[in-house]
Amino acid sequence: MLRVLAVDDEEPALEELLYLLRADPRIRSAEGATGATEALRRIGSAVDAGPDDPSAIDVVFLDIHMAGLTGLDVAQLLAGFAAPPLIVFVTAHEGFAVHAFDLKAVDYVLKPVRRERLAEAVRRVAEQVGDRSAPVHDTAHDQIPVELGGVIRFIPIDDIAYAEAQGDYARLHTATGSHLVRVPLTTLEERWRTRGFVRIHRRHLVALGRIDELRLDAGSMSVRIGTAELAVSRRHTRALRDLLMRRTGR
């Protein structure tokens, strides 16, 4: 049974969110705050009181655009707490999803809030609260949020074969399709280096484990990933070949 604090500086939106939350049988209590300052005060008191106190908060459903401190500001401040509550962002703006998950958000719900979508967010929170041994940021590390038809969905990073630069965006290629995300390829390269992704060209970042074939032709190199053949730039050729040789034990 979850103890919830909902934060939104627009009272009609806050009341609607509280109504939906209180209708969910997994919610023990749902209280509201109309701004970041009030929310931080209540969260600070709850954390100081401990998890068994009646004022304890398991999760904060947090708007992003608010007067004064934004929801992102609140999340950054909560990261400094010893045992902060989980965070679900509830916003009308899909463009902050990647930043939100960098801040260890459990979920990212778009307004207008649909009952079914909110129920999914509650399920995600309940799973993490029910298993305190699991780090609260697993979702952010294992998945990346993408926008599809006005809905934020979560793509497992392990499903991504390669990423392609498109200006300040990146297109993620999986076996079932591609997804455009508002994050530069250089940022993905830095985040995913420990997950086996390597840069082979200024335009491409590939998962080493997804390379089906390495091709050499008149001094140039390319890799085949499924049906895609991607060029390897000269500056990345030696590093890629060494990595692949180490993986095969040669």
Side-chain angles (χ1 to χ4, degrees):
M1 297 291 287
L2 300 173
R3 298 158 295 186
V4 176
L5 178 66
V7 186
D8 197 314
D9 63 351
E10 296 182 359
E11 290 197 24
L14 178 60
E15 290 302 319
E16 174 67 15
L17 180 57
L18 287 171
Y19 172 79
L20 293 173
L21 287 168
R22 289 166 179 163
D24 192 306
R26 294 165 294 187
I27 303 296
R28 177 192 299 181
S29 63
E31 304 299 328
T34 56
T37 301
E38 179 188 355
L40 287 169
R41 177 181 57 78
R42 293 174 66 169
I43 295 167
S45 297
V47 170
D48 290 342
D52 297 325
D53 191 84
S55 67
I57 299 168
D58 296 309
V59 58
V60 182
F61 283 76
L62 186 59
D63 188 24
I64 287 183
H65 279 294
M66 296 186 290
L69 291 175
T70 69
L72 297 174
D73 294 330
V74 172
Q76 287 176 322
L77 290 169
L78 290 182
F81 284 39
L86 303 178
I87 296 172
V88 172
F89 284 104
V90 182
T91 177
H93 305 275
E94 72 273 10
F96 297 99
V98 171
H99 190 184
F101 284 93
D102 281 345
L103 293 170
K104 313 300 185 291
V106 176
D107 210 341
Y108 191 94
V109 179
L110 291 177
K111 296 179 180 178
V113 178
R114 294 182 292 109
R115 187 185 301 270
E116 302 80 14
R117 182 64 185 86
L118 188 63
E120 170 62 15
V122 172
R123 183 193 67 77
R124 288 173 178 267
V125 171
E127 282 186 354
Q128 291 200 12
V129 170
D131 185 7
R132 292 295 186 180
S133 63
V136 299
H137 57 274
D138 277 353
T139 297
H141 283 292
D142 294 339
Q143 299 174 304
I144 184 168
V146 300
E147 192 272 331
L148 291 171
V151 176
I152 299 296
R153 300 191 185 280
F154 304 91
I155 304 300
I157 294 172
D158 288 343
D159 287 353
I160 298 168
Y162 67 97
E164 179 181 6
Q166 294 192 352
D168 291 332
Y169 292 65
R171 182 167 293 281
L172 311 179
H173 294 265
T174 70
T176 57
S178 67
H179 312 277
L180 193 66
V181 294
R182 301 185 184 192
V183 56
L185 196 65
T186 51
T187 301
L188 294 180
E189 178 185 9
E190 188 172 317
R191 291 178 184 171
W192 294 352
R193 185 175 290 116
T194 59
R195 301 187 68 99
F197 282 80
V198 296
R199 193 72 169 261
I200 64 166
H201 191 276
R202 62 183 178 82
R203 290 193 58 201
H204 292 118
L205 179 72
V206 304
L208 274 179
R210 296 301 190 97
I211 295 176
D212 298 310
E213 193 173 84
L214 183 67
R215 297 178 175 179
L216 295 171
D217 183 19
S220 63
M221 179 185 288
S222 64
V223 296
R224 182 177 63 81
I225 300 178
T227 60
E229 185 171 349
L230 308 175
V232 180
S233 68
R234 290 186 181 276
R235 66 182 293 237
H236 293 101
T237 294
R238 182 171 181 176
L240 176 63
R241 185 163 46 198
D242 290 346
L243 280 171
L244 290 172
M245 293 302 178
R246 284 202 295 270
R247 285 175 66 90
T248 57
R250 296 180 184 178

